[in-house]
Amino acid sequence: MTRRNSVTKFVKNTVIGKERQLTEHGLFHSLSLVTLLAWVGLGADGLSSSCYGPEQAYKALADNLHTYYPLAIFIAGMSALTVFIISASYSQIIGAFPSGGGGYVVASRLLSPTLGVISGSALLIDYVLTITVSVASAMDAIFSMMPNSMKSKFIAEIVALLFMTVLNLRGVRESVMVLLPIFFVFLITHVFAVIYAFATHGSAVVALGSNTMSSVHDLSASVGLFGMLALLIKAYSMGAGTYTGIEAVSNGLSILREPRVRTGRRTMLLMALSLAGMVAGLLFAYLLVDVDVSQTTDGVKTLNAVLLETLTKPWPSALGTGFVFVALVSSAALLLIAAQAGFLGGPPVLASMALDRWMPNRFAALSDRYVTINGVLIMGGGALVMLLFTHGSVGLLVVLYSINVFITFSLSQLGMVRHWWQNRQTEQGWRHRIAINAIGLCLTSFILVVMVVQKFGQGGWVTILMTGALVFFAFMVRRHYEAVRGQLKRMDLILEAALIPAQPGAKDFAPNSNRTAIFLVNGFNGLGLHTLFGAIRLFGGGFKRIVFVSIGVVDAGNFKGADDLDRLRKHMQTEGQKYVDFITTRGGHAEAITAIGRDVLDEVEEILPSLTEKYPHAVFFSGQLVFEHETFITRWLHNYTAFALQRRLFLYGLPCAIVPMRVENART
């Protein structure tokens, strides 16, 4: 290993962590999340919305002349009920799709691939914006306590975003463990604040009922029943950000501990209880303490900060200030943790779309830490672009990200309604299940329509445009892959001839030289046979020995557990044996070597010493698609493993020939 490679590996191991091996004992167990850690990693996004969702709903219960804050009782009940309904509907999605994928998989399988792409694209944009708005909001909260340092806020946002990206490159479990204490500090301080508000203002509880009825009477008398409903709907929709993290569990199901369905449902229940309780509790606390909303008009102090300061005013100065400081810092930290939802949920969705050929297949690749490395990088990179574009403006970011999640919500609920209806003859209790998803569909569709109408002119058109552009890109990628697959199918016609039994005494591959040929193949297919026949033509005769090396690549599609890896290993062995049978029945001598790993080149380099020792005068061969009109897109959508392999073998002084397969008119 060169000095440069040694330094690079040292830096990489220090920052991201040492490579994990598939043979590592308990690998899947150590990488997955139990219910508690999943609640932290995936539930932080939803719980963090209590830092701004209840506030926005509460402040909406006022017009230019009057305030009707006692109506927050209705908003509290509606919000808690909505959380439980959406959570219950997503628990059913977890049961129906235990492999994960969330809104993308549901819409693709139950509605149509087109609607699935729309759902997945909306979800990806939402996850990128979730990371951005969470980081920006966290820095806003921190720097609001340091007004003289506001010029450094944008730099701090970039540093925080880069830190989160590197943290997630280390692995899911590692990133969640770091954030675990912060999550519980926030939970403890805010639950205590809500309970303390009820304990110290118990006399106000009795008056809440009469105050609420008085507000209902006054409002209905001045604007009528429909006017009152309009105000409630406005306040309810303004707090819609409260529900934006609920889908994270079903989207990130692949990272949960087995049995995943049970772990996912338990995580969903914890998320629903904590979120509904926090939102409703804070709204009631605002009413009991009678917080002064005017203190939030400068845009620096949040309503939660006003609540905490009001509650601790009778305390000793040092104790009250310390409690408020810890609670607010934990709020800012929780908002930073909420960015985890984007890093945990986004890459699996991107990987699922890549496996279905809607996105470049490299997004399904795993790093040596067994995280979807390109997915993490694209989430972090996209968030950085949005951070630079908006310059960290939370107001603009909230407008941008608030619409997309409800597109996915609505399509997921619609897909599940259709699923229960189509399977009503075989599914017991289908009426109860379809009712849950139907109610969820009505709620999420209603919120989506209201938000589009309210937010479109305020920047909502930007996120719709971004989602549309991503959908267009997905269709272009799929179109290209389909065109290439069509040409590869024509190449597979050679398999029909290969499957015809050889004539007795056939000598097609009878050795007439002392050379050994080593072929890197990926399954028994037309490309592999084309490479074989091309090598025979190139060297003008048979080889003494032909060795087929098959590397099973572990990606997001098959990295589900030890059983999946066993199936992959057996599949590669079966495919390799087909080559051996094809050669031996035609007079040649062949062997098959198989291995599995996350990267073809790394695995080849791993077995290279044993290969060169056993076959000292071997020539390596690999097939490669060659496009008639090569572009940046074709280079990005296809891996060029053959060229990289050739270069690496050349460095070891080993000959490697590439057998080209021309691809004509592949559309990009």
Side-chain angles (χ1 to χ4, degrees):
M1 182 180 292
T2 66
R3 177 180 176 85
R4 181 180 178 182
N5 289 338
S6 299
V7 173
T8 302
K9 186 172 183 179
F10 172 77
V11 173
K12 178 261 175 189
N13 289 342
T14 302
V15 176
I16 298 178
K18 293 183 179 180
E19 176 181 355
R20 290 183 181 272
Q21 301 295 330
L22 280 172
T23 55
E24 180 180 333
H25 178 70
L27 174 63
F28 297 99
H29 187 80
S30 65
L31 291 179
S32 58
L33 300 181
V34 296
T35 302
L36 182 64
L37 295 181
W39 179 34
V40 175
L42 298 172
D45 183 26
L47 191 58
S48 69
S49 65
S50 62
C51 297
Y52 51 83
E55 174 180 349
Q56 295 300 317
Y58 190 81
K59 292 166 69 173
L61 292 171
D63 54 28
N64 295 329
L65 299 176
H66 305 91
T67 60
Y68 302 98
Y69 296 130
L71 296 179
I73 291 178
F74 298 119
I75 302 301
M78 293 165 62
S79 298
L81 181 61
T82 302
V83 168
F84 283 118
I85 289 175
I86 296 178
S87 299
S89 63
Y90 267 92
S91 291
Q92 296 190 156
I93 291 176
I94 289 173
F97 294 91
S99 60
Y104 164 70
V105 174
V106 173
S108 297
R109 305 295 187 268
L110 301 183
L111 296 175
S112 71
T114 298
L115 290 176
V117 171
I118 294 174
S119 178
S121 299
L123 198 53
L124 288 174
I125 296 294
D126 176 70
Y127 275 134
V128 169
L129 292 171
T130 294
I131 297 171
T132 312
V133 74
S134 298
V135 171
S137 298
M139 293 303 105
D140 276 0
I142 291 175
F143 278 84
S144 65
M145 294 181 287
M146 301 179 292
N148 295 327
S149 305
M150 290 299 289
K151 293 182 179 180
S152 305
K153 183 173 74 71
F154 187 62
I155 297 176
E157 291 171 350
I158 295 176
V159 172
L161 180 56
L162 294 177
F163 169 75
M164 295 296 294
T165 303
V166 172
L167 191 61
N168 279 274
L169 288 174
R170 292 186 65 89
V172 172
R173 185 180 177 89
E174 285 83 351
S175 63
V176 173
M177 291 298 293
V178 170
L179 304 172
L180 185 65
I182 300 171
F183 181 88
F184 284 106
V185 169
F186 170 86
L187 198 63
I188 292 170
T189 54
H190 285 71
V191 168
F192 173 81
V194 171
I195 295 175
Y196 186 74
F198 276 88
T200 57
H201 295 75
S203 59
V205 175
V206 179
L208 278 182
S210 59
N211 291 339
T212 302
M213 295 308 299
S214 177
S215 293
V216 169
H217 180 270
D218 293 342
L219 184 58
S220 60
S222 60
V223 297
L225 178 60
F226 287 105
M228 182 180 67
L229 290 175
L231 180 62
L232 288 172
I233 290 172
K234 176 186 175 183
Y236 174 69
S237 63
M238 288 300 291
T242 301
Y243 322 117
T244 54
I246 297 176
E247 82 293 344
V249 177
S250 65
N251 292 330
L253 204 60
S254 59
I255 64 174
L256 301 188
R257 180 73 53 87
E258 295 283 3
R260 288 182 179 137
V261 171
R262 186 175 67 182
T263 303
R265 285 177 168 168
R266 288 178 175 177
T267 303
M268 185 68 74
L269 178 60
L270 284 175
M271 181 188 294
L273 290 172
S274 59
L275 179 57
M278 187 65 70
V279 171
L282 286 173
L283 285 170
F284 271 97
Y286 297 157
L287 290 172
L288 293 174
V289 179
D290 192 21
V291 293
D292 185 1
V293 178
S294 64
Q295 294 186 45
T296 67
T297 54
D298 57 3
V300 175
K301 188 174 293 186
T302 66
L303 203 59
N304 285 358
V306 176
L307 172 67
L308 293 169
E309 291 174 354
T310 305
L311 285 173
T312 58
K313 187 174 293 185
W315 296 10
S317 178
L319 180 61
T321 302
F323 179 81
V324 172
F325 177 79
V326 171
L328 292 181
V329 169
S330 69
S331 297
L334 186 72
L335 286 164
L336 195 61
I337 297 175
Q340 275 299 97
F343 284 113
L344 296 183
V349 175
L350 194 58
S352 295
M353 296 180 72
L355 292 170
D356 290 340
R357 295 295 188 262
W358 290 108
M359 289 291 161
N361 52 30
R362 65 182 62 213
F363 287 124
L366 300 175
S367 71
D368 58 18
R369 298 289 296 177
Y370 291 96
V371 296
T372 47
I373 178 171
N374 291 312
V376 171
L377 291 174
I378 203 70
M379 291 292 114
L384 180 61
V385 169
M386 292 308 303
L387 194 63
L388 296 172
F389 174 72
T390 61
H391 207 72
S393 172
V394 175
L396 178 57
L397 285 167
V398 169
V399 171
L400 292 178
Y401 102 106
S402 59
I403 294 175
N404 276 18
V405 69
F406 285 96
I407 296 176
T408 301
F409 274 172
S410 300
L411 290 175
S412 298
Q413 303 307 322
L414 179 61
M416 290 302 293
V417 168
R418 184 183 183 189
H419 170 73
W420 299 127
W421 178 255
Q422 289 180 334
N423 295 276
R424 61 188 184 279
Q425 303 297 334
T426 57
E427 291 284 353
Q428 294 183 351
W430 69 271
R431 289 184 175 84
H432 170 72
R433 296 175 180 179
I434 198 174
I436 293 176
N437 288 117
I439 295 172
L441 173 62
C442 293
L443 281 175
T444 55
S445 299
F446 172 76
I447 295 173
L448 174 62
V449 171
V450 172
M451 293 182 67
V452 169
V453 172
Q454 287 186 341
K455 305 290 187 180
F456 187 83
Q458 302 175 29
W461 63 272
V462 176
T463 190
I464 294 175
L465 180 63
M466 291 167 55
T467 304
L470 187 58
V471 170
F472 176 77
F473 173 76
F475 273 95
M476 293 300 292
V477 169
R478 180 64 174 262
R479 182 184 182 189
H480 173 84
Y481 281 138
E482 288 297 319
V484 173
R485 189 172 70 171
Q487 297 201 37
L488 292 179
K489 278 186 176 180
R490 291 197 294 271
M491 182 187 292
D492 285 343
L493 293 175
I494 196 174
L495 290 176
E496 298 180 5
L499 294 175
I500 297 176
Q503 296 294 326
K507 300 294 183 180
D508 298 347
F509 294 98
N512 58 11
S513 71
N514 292 323
R515 293 186 294 265
T516 296
I518 299 178
F519 290 86
L520 182 66
V521 294
N522 181 23
F524 188 69
N525 51 40
L527 179 60
L529 291 175
H530 177 86
T531 304
L532 173 64
F533 295 143
I536 296 296
R537 290 194 302 269
L538 182 65
F539 277 76
F543 294 93
K544 178 181 179 181
R545 184 184 295 103
I546 299 176
V547 180
F548 296 95
V549 177
S550 303
I551 307 296
V553 177
V554 179
D555 59 23
N558 50 43
F559 190 68
K560 308 295 185 184
D563 291 341
D564 294 287
L565 294 187
D566 287 339
R567 282 191 288 269
L568 175 62
R569 183 179 288 105
K570 291 177 181 178
H571 172 73
M572 299 307 298
Q573 291 172 348
T574 300
E575 294 293 288
Q577 187 60 42
K578 290 180 181 179
Y579 281 108
V580 173
D581 294 341
F582 177 74
I583 297 296
T584 54
T585 56
R586 288 163 175 79
H589 175 68
E591 300 175 22
I593 298 174
T594 60
I596 62 171
R598 61 169 190 86
D599 183 83
V600 172
L601 297 179
D602 289 346
E603 290 304 313
V604 170
E605 193 164 17
E606 185 74 20
I607 64 176
L608 197 58
S610 60
L611 283 175
T612 53
E613 181 180 355
K614 188 175 182 179
Y615 314 112
H617 302 293
V619 179
F620 289 81
F621 294 93
S622 181
Q624 176 63 54
L625 300 180
V626 178
F627 292 91
E628 186 178 37
H629 303 292
E630 185 175 332
T631 65
F632 168 78
I633 298 297
T634 59
R635 289 192 295 271
W636 204 60
L637 294 181
H638 297 271
N639 68 70
Y640 280 63
T641 303
F643 296 122
L645 173 67
Q646 185 183 57
R647 181 179 181 278
R648 192 166 297 191
L649 291 174
F650 282 175
L651 292 176
Y652 285 96
L654 299 173
C656 179
I658 294 178
V659 180
M661 186 266 173
R662 183 179 178 184
V663 180
E664 300 177 357
N665 302 322
R667 295 171 293 181
T668 57

